[in-house]
C-alpha cells in the first residue's frame, strides 16, 4: 500500500494548494459560494459541494495565489457545467480586487502572458465592468 501523506503531488500529478494559501483563502467569504451563482454566469445550475478550482497555469504549473483560485460547485468544477473561460474571467476580477495595481501587477509578475488582453477578451463575453487599459 502506498502512503500519500508526504507526497508533493496529488493523484493527477498536480501540486496541491500550499497550506499557507489554503488557510488564507479559507477565511475569505468569497470562497464559500460557487461563482456560477452570479447572474452574469453562463449557467446557474449549481450542484454539489464547493471545490476550489485553479483558473490559471503559468509555465506549466498551477498559479497558487488567492486570486487564481475560484470557488465552484462540483458540477462547475469537474462536471457538465464547467466553462473554463468564465472561471478565468472571475479569477482576473479577483486579481483586480486583491492586488494593489491590479492587472499591471500580473503583467510584471508573469510577463509572458498578456493579462490585459485576456481580461478585455473575457470581459466582452461575460462582463459588465469597465475594460482594463
Amino acid at each position: 500500500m502506498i502512503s500519500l501523506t508526504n507526497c508533493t503531488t496529488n493523484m493527477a500529478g498536480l501540486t496541491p494548494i500550499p497550506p499557507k494559501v489554503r488557510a488564507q483563502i479559507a477565511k475569505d467569504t468569497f470562497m464559500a459560494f460557487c461563482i456560477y451563482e452570479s447572474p452574469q454566469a453562463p449557467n446557474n445550475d449549481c450542484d454539489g459541494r464547493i471545490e476550489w478550482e485553479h483558473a490559471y497555469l503559468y509555465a506549466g504549473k498551477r498559479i497558487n495565489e488567492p486570486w487564481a483560485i475560484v470557488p465552484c460547485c462540483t458540477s462547475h468544477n469537474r462536471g457538465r457545467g464547467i466553462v473554463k473561460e468564465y472561471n478565468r474571467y472571475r479569477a482576473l476580477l479577483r486579481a483586480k480586487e486583491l492586488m494593489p495595481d491590479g492587472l499591471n501587477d500580473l503583467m510584471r509578475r508573469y510577463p509572458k502572458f498578456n493579462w490585459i488582453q485576456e481580461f478585455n477578451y473575457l470581459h466582452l463575453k461575460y462582463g459588465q465592468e469597465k475594460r482594463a487599459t
Side-chain angles (χ1 to χ4, degrees):
M1 184 172 201
I2 299 172
S3 171
L4 298 178
T5 308
N6 295 322
C7 287
T8 58
T9 60
N10 61 20
M11 296 301 272
L14 300 170
T15 56
I17 301 171
K20 184 177 179 182
V21 175
R22 181 176 290 279
Q24 183 181 357
I25 62 177
K27 295 176 190 172
D28 189 348
T29 56
F30 173 80
M31 300 301 285
F33 302 97
C34 180
I35 59 174
Y36 288 82
E37 291 179 5
S38 168
Q40 68 195 45
N43 54 41
N44 303 92
D45 56 341
C46 294
D47 184 31
R49 67 183 181 88
I50 298 298
E51 301 176 345
W52 293 342
E53 144 81 349
H54 286 83
Y56 281 97
L57 299 175
Y58 187 82
K61 296 181 181 179
R62 291 173 167 174
I63 297 178
N64 275 317
E65 295 184 33
W67 67 266
I69 301 169
V70 294
C72 299
C73 65
T74 303
S75 171
H76 291 115
N77 187 30
R78 358 177 205 163
R80 69 194 181 291
I82 190 168
V83 180
K84 262 316 236 193
E85 281 189 337
Y86 183 70
N87 295 358
R88 292 196 313 255
Y89 176 65
R90 291 301 300 265
L92 291 178
L93 288 176
R94 289 287 285 171
K96 288 177 64 176
E97 176 187 325
L98 296 176
M99 301 179 100
D101 197 17
L103 299 178
N104 292 321
D105 281 344
L106 292 182
M107 294 292 289
R108 283 188 290 279
R109 294 169 71 185
Y110 304 101
K112 294 187 179 194
F113 191 80
N114 190 334
W115 299 98
I116 293 172
Q117 179 180 352
E118 170 91 342
F119 177 81
N120 288 336
Y121 165 74
L122 294 172
H123 171 72
L124 288 174
K125 287 183 86 168
Y126 303 110
Q128 298 173 350
E129 292 192 357
K130 290 183 178 180
R131 291 173 53 122
T133 54

